[in-house]
Each structure stands twice: as C-alpha cells, then as structure tokens.
Amino acid sequence: EVQLAESGGGLVQPGGSLRLSCAASGFTFSSYWMHWVRQAPGKGLVWVSRINTDGSSTSYADTVKGRFTISRDNAKNTLYLQMNSLRVEDTAVYYCARDHYGQVDYWGQGTLVTVSS
Amino acid sequence: QSALTQPASVSGSPGQSITISCTGTSSDVGGYNYVSWYQQHPGKAPKVMIYDVNKRPSGVSNRFSGSKSDNTASLTISGLQAEDEADYYCLSYAGSSTSIFGGGTRLTVL
C-alpha cells in the first residue's frame, strides 16, 4: 500500500524558515517523480513544486521560486521541501504527492504550516 | 500560471447527472492528455477520481467519467448520490515539468 507521511509543519514567523519532510513507503520511491501541493485555509489546491527521480531536475511555481527548494534522499525514501523567507501568504496545508505524468496519483495527509507573528 | 477555470459551484438532485468544466489553454489542457480530477471532502486529503483525461482508478465508481475537447476538460458524475457532495479540482500538466490546478468546484447534492 502506497503511504506518504508529511512532517515538519508548525508555526513560524514571517521571514523564517522551515523544512518539511515526506516519508514514502509501499512503492519504489526512487522510480517516481514527486510533487508538493499546498492549500491555504478555505482555499483551493495549488501546485508548488516537482522533482524528478534522481533529484537532478526541479520545477517551481512562480510564487515560491527562489525561496523554496525541493529535494529528495532516495536512500531514505524521503522527499523534502526547504522553505525560506516565509510570508503570511505561505500559510497552508502542504501535501506530498506521487507523480503520474504531471498529475498526482497518491496524496499524503498533509502538514500545516502557519506563518504569523 | 493562472489557475485553470472551473465553475465555483454546481448542484444537482440525487439521481441526476452533472458536469464540471475545466478550461485552460493550448499550453496545458489542450496540449496534453494529462488531465486529472480530484474529489476532496472537508478536512480530508484529495482523492483521484479520473486521470489521463478519462481513465478511472481501481475502486472509483463508474458513475464518474472524464472527457476533453480542445482546451476544456470535463468531469461528469451520473446518478448523483449524497456522498458525492464535495469539492472537485482538475489538474493538468503544463509543460516544462510544471502542473496547474483549477480553482475548484463545490458540488452540492440537493
């Protein structure tokens, strides 16, 4: 059974940093591209970032480019999202998701990031 | 990177059929057969209902179907049931390893 478990969310001040992790199990992690998707409270889903199988290719939404970094450790079956220069508008539930040709076929349960002073 | 366009809300009575549209451009919806649809109940993670425009994952009811014409994809739910009441989102590959979601549609079963 495919399982994705996010962790690392919490309360951070504007301008601060946070690193999210996503532990993957139930599939060959190193064979799949992966995504991060976020959802602000009461709002819709927004694509954030995508990474290829070996981490050599990454892409980002314009709203996070230059501030967020996606990475992965295939030996640990773990996906990461390093978030720097956080803004109030980055407040959201962040979902880790498995890729299927640019779509998502499996989702984690999400981790809440709150940016507030 | 503006969101794909979906109606904010749709409604239908039990047993009826409804269709939710998802309009993009030739750079996303119209350019690839990589459009998917997700159902999200309050407080829950999204669940894939349709992928690759019209394919249904194992375990998803055949009351759900997908299609695409030019730059618009559509999700049709037939034989509406109370448990179908949820938010629905489309997602399309948009080239250069990026993806884009629709703004979401709230389905109300009357």
Side-chain angles (χ1 to χ4, degrees), chain B residues 23-40:
Chain B
T23 300
T25 69
S26 57
S27 296
D28 37 64
V29 174
Y32 308 93
N33 287 323
Y34 296 138
V35 178
S36 50
W37 290 90
Y38 303 90
Q39 177 192 67
Q40 187 180 36

Side-chain angles (χ1 to χ4, degrees), chain B residues 14-30:
Chain B
Q16 288 186 330
S17 294
I18 63 95
T19 296
I20 300 171
S21 61
C22 170
T23 300
T25 69
S26 57
S27 296
D28 37 64
V29 174

Side-chain angles (χ1 to χ4, degrees), chain B residues 9-68:
Chain B
S9 63
V10 298
S11 62
S13 299
Q16 288 186 330
S17 294
I18 63 95
T19 296
I20 300 171
S21 61
C22 170
T23 300
T25 69
S26 57
S27 296
D28 37 64
V29 174
Y32 308 93
N33 287 323
Y34 296 138
V35 178
S36 50
W37 290 90
Y38 303 90
Q39 177 192 67
Q40 187 180 36
H41 289 108
K44 301 294 187 180
K47 172 187 175 183
V48 60
M49 307 304 284
I50 295 289
Y51 67 98
D52 294 351
V53 175
N54 56 14
K55 297 178 183 175
R56 216 172 26 250
S58 173
V60 171
S61 170
N62 59 9
R63 298 185 298 106
F64 291 82
S65 62
S67 63
K68 191 185 82 166

